[in-house]
Every structure is written in C-alpha cells, then in structure tokens.
C-alpha cells in the first residue's frame, strides 16, 4: 500500500468545490480544508506506487479548480495509537 499527503492550492473561491470533487476521486480517502499556506490536504491511499503516480499525474490534473499541488509520499507510519495498542497490557 502507498500512502501520500497531497497539499493543494485552489483557484480563488474554489476550496469547497474542489474538496467535493476530490472526495469522489478514486484513491483519495480524506480531504481536509485548512488555513495557512495550503487550501486543502488530501490523503491518498493506493495499492502501489504506479497507482499513486497515476492518481497524482492524471486524475488530480483532471480536477477543475486545482492551481498547484505538492505530494509527500509516506515512507513509514508512526502513530501513537498503533504503539499504545501494540504495548497495551489490557487495562
């Protein structure tokens, strides 16, 4: 499985519309509107790197209203929840 964080800036006034379009794109599991440097953050989850590449270079390019993106490919998952579950003694 390949996971990525995609940072997105939209055309002016297009945040909600782009978020709704992205939520329907296969491979995008979550979309968050944010404040700060980026308008949206999308979480991508695909079966392999080739699927992720196709998502980023083809499917996202087809979404109207996206001005630019920056994709952060996840290397490892570090989650406090996972660690606490793994070392839990069942209290």
């Amino acid at each position: 499985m390949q996971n990525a964080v995609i940072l997105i800036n939209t055309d002016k006034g297009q945040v909600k519309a782009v978020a709704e379009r992205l939520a329907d794109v296969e491979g995008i599991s979550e979309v968050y509107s944010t404040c700060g440097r980026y308008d949206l953050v999308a979480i991508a989850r695909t079966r392999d790197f080739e699927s992720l590449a196709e998502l980023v270079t083809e499917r996202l390019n087809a979404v109207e209203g996206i001005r630019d993106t920056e994709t952060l490919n996840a290397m490892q998952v570090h989650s406090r929840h996972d660690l606490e579950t793994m070392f839990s003694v069942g209290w």
Side-chain angles (χ1 to χ4, degrees):
M1 164 125 352
Q2 287 289 312
N3 297 317
V5 176
I6 305 169
L7 308 171
I8 301 163
N9 282 316
T10 68
D11 294 330
K12 187 174 181 177
Q14 293 295 307
V15 173
K16 185 176 182 194
V18 170
E20 290 172 353
R21 289 182 199 115
L22 285 171
D24 291 333
V25 172
E26 182 184 345
I28 300 294
S29 63
E30 300 144 73
V31 180
Y32 300 96
S33 57
T34 61
C35 49
R37 186 172 173 188
Y38 297 96
D39 298 320
L40 298 169
V41 173
I43 307 301
R45 301 180 197 284
T46 62
R47 69 180 178 278
D48 52 35
F49 184 78
E50 289 76 22
S51 299
L52 178 62
E54 191 266 334
L55 168 67
V56 172
T57 61
E58 295 180 30
R59 283 184 259 158
L60 290 189
N61 280 336
V63 175
E64 185 179 334
I66 292 179
R67 190 174 68 235
D68 55 64
T69 66
E70 182 174 347
T71 301
L72 307 173
N73 194 9
M75 303 301 286
Q76 289 183 304
V77 177
H78 305 274
S79 167
R80 179 173 300 283
H81 173 75
D82 294 338
L83 291 173
E84 288 175 354
T85 302
M86 195 167 39
F87 293 106
S88 173
V89 291
W91 304 57

